Amino acid sequence: TTEQQRMKSSIEDAITGLLGTASTVPNSILIADLGCSYGSNALALVSTAVNAVLCNCMQHEQPLPEVCVLLNDLPGNDFNSVAKSIAEFKQSFESFPPIVINSGMVPGSFHARLFSRESLHLICSSTSLHWLSEAPEDLVKRRIPMYDCDDNLRRARSGLVLDAYSRQFRKDFTQFLTVRGKELVPGGRMVISLFGRCSDNPASMATHAWEILASSLNDMVSRGVLNKEKFESFYIPMYAPSDKELRMIIQDESSFLINNIEVHKPLSGIGEVVVTPKMIALAIRSAHEAIILEHFNCSAHIMDELVETLVGQLSSGGLNRQMQSFACLSLCSTM
């Protein structure tokens, strides 16, 4: 993906920082991708990292270490597809000098411990960490909807809802940093990207990461396509932080030092003029279909209607709001 390509130089810099020009390198290097998903891009980040190890060692005449790549995602991920991709991944390095590449798949939530203490040298993650471990507890307990069907109530509660999401993200990301700090070797690197907000201005928070989707679901409720009670108990578990917010959490948790944070538009570099409402609607469906189907107990036919509703919302100005409000935050940090 474009975001994985954008992370390439940061991963290469991280490997240079790990290996440098030293005459001795570790006997083995462990690289983990958190939220690898499946398909053709599942091994893109670790492939970049392995290439960087090879190039650095060849350039500085260092002995090649054994490399182990570990691929993580939730247990429901299609790991069978990932396993098939691994064989092709290893074959792609056969033309290089002899290098031992081991691999493993690690199902589980990246909000919890996944790896042995001080075992990893490099952690990568692309567009995954904006997902929360759960819906904001305060909203669930008080039965406050993520997106109220009543316009006046929604406006009155918007600050409360966004604050609850912000606190849930702080809790989750702090936990993520703490457990990763235990798993990385001293001097280890982490390169991550996630969806974020372009501005710290509270006014920009009115358009949140889930607003277009929530608005479309609300429209379907108003037409009787979806159940209102189900909708009011539905919380999309994602949050888009600002770069300032992200920096504050990292500094407060204190396991990592920030080398660099970059902010850029999610679609920059791919020709925004060719991006259509239908493309964005299908991307939203792909990201959220599983949790929608599970919560509403609906059919794929309903998802087709959701796409059409999203297209309508995006075509009437929602696309510009999405493009202007959101960014990708790319971060490189070290122990």
Side-chain angles (χ1 to χ4, degrees):
T1 65
T2 302
E3 188 56 31
Q4 289 171 330
Q5 284 296 317
R6 194 179 280 118
M7 294 172 67
K8 185 174 184 288
S9 62
S10 294
I11 292 173
E12 290 170 346
D13 289 345
I15 292 298
T16 299
L18 282 167
L19 302 181
T21 60
S23 57
T24 59
V25 299
N27 291 326
S28 61
I29 290 180
L30 272 69
I31 300 164
D33 180 354
L34 307 184
C36 67
S37 190
Y38 60 92
S40 59
N41 293 314
L43 290 105
L45 297 183
V46 294
S47 180
T48 294
V50 173
N51 269 311
V53 170
L54 283 165
C55 291
N56 195 93
C57 290
M58 293 169 65
Q59 179 181 352
H60 300 292
E61 298 183 348
Q62 298 164 318
L64 286 174
E66 292 188 3
V67 178
C68 180
V69 296
L70 302 171
L71 303 165
N72 156 261
D73 214 309
L74 293 172
N77 188 51
D78 185 1
F79 282 105
N80 286 331
S81 170
V82 176
K84 293 176 182 178
S85 299
I86 287 175
E88 299 174 6
F89 164 74
K90 291 183 177 180
Q91 287 176 0
S92 68
F93 289 95
E94 288 182 350
S95 59
F96 284 87
I99 181 171
V100 177
I101 301 177
N102 298 310
S103 59
M105 291 172 283
V106 186
S109 169
F110 50 55
H111 293 108
R113 280 288 301 274
L114 292 166
F115 310 102
S116 301
R117 182 179 290 272
E118 295 188 1
S119 61
L120 300 177
H121 294 82
L122 175 66
I123 292 172
C124 303
S125 181
S126 175
T127 56
S128 294
L129 294 176
H130 47 269
W131 291 104
L132 304 175
S133 65
E134 59 183 356
E137 186 178 5
D138 290 354
L139 300 184
V140 176
K141 283 186 175 180
R142 298 168 64 182
R143 296 185 179 180
I144 297 175
M146 167 193 69
Y147 190 93
D148 204 294
C149 293
D150 184 283
D151 291 345
N152 292 328
L153 278 175
R154 183 168 67 251
R155 283 191 289 268
R157 291 171 169 172
S158 62
L160 185 152
V161 170
L162 290 171
D163 182 63
Y165 267 87
S166 175
R167 283 185 280 110
Q168 183 65 46
F169 178 80
R170 169 174 276 274
K171 175 183 175 182
D172 283 347
F173 196 64
T174 297
Q175 172 69 6
F176 172 85
L177 294 171
T178 299
V179 296
R180 299 293 85 79
K182 294 177 180 177
E183 295 166 349
L184 276 169
V185 301
R189 272 32 178 203
M190 184 160 68
V191 180
I192 62 175
S193 74
L194 68 161
F195 285 120
R197 296 195 313 278
C198 291
S199 172
D200 286 316
N201 185 344
S204 73
M205 296 174 69
T207 301
H208 197 61
W210 31 252
E211 187 179 17
I212 287 290
L213 173 57
S215 177
S216 297
L217 292 170
N218 184 43
D219 180 80
M220 294 172 70
V221 169
S222 69
R223 293 185 279 114
V225 179
L226 293 175
N227 179 274
K228 181 180 178 181
E229 287 72 25
K230 281 280 189 181
F231 175 67
E232 291 182 339
S233 64
F234 180 57
Y235 299 91
I236 299 172
M238 65 182 297
Y239 178 76
S242 68
D243 59 325
K244 180 179 178 181
E245 197 172 2
L246 202 65
R247 190 181 297 273
M248 289 178 62
I249 297 172
I250 294 168
Q251 290 173 345
D252 289 346
E253 195 279 332
S254 75
S255 290
F256 292 87
L257 298 174
I258 300 170
N259 293 339
N260 187 41
I261 293 182
E262 296 180 1
V263 182
H264 42 262
K265 291 182 179 180
L267 302 175
S268 62
I270 65 172
E272 294 180 15
V273 293
V274 303
V275 176
T276 66
K278 184 66 174 285
M279 289 170 60
I280 299 297
L282 290 173
I284 292 174
R285 173 177 180 167
S286 176
H288 298 90
E289 182 165 12
I291 60 174
I292 291 173
L293 291 176
E294 180 180 359
H295 182 83
F296 289 96
N297 192 26
C298 58
S299 65
H301 171 72
I302 296 297
M303 295 304 302
D304 294 338
E305 183 161 348
L306 173 61
V307 168
E308 295 306 312
T309 306
L310 282 163
V311 169
Q313 296 252 356
L314 291 163
S315 299
S316 62
L319 180 57
N320 287 335
R321 292 200 304 273
Q322 289 285 93
M323 300 272 284
Q324 293 169 6
S325 299
F326 293 101
C328 276
L329 309 180
S330 295
L331 167 69
C332 184
S333 58
T334 183
M335 291 287 293

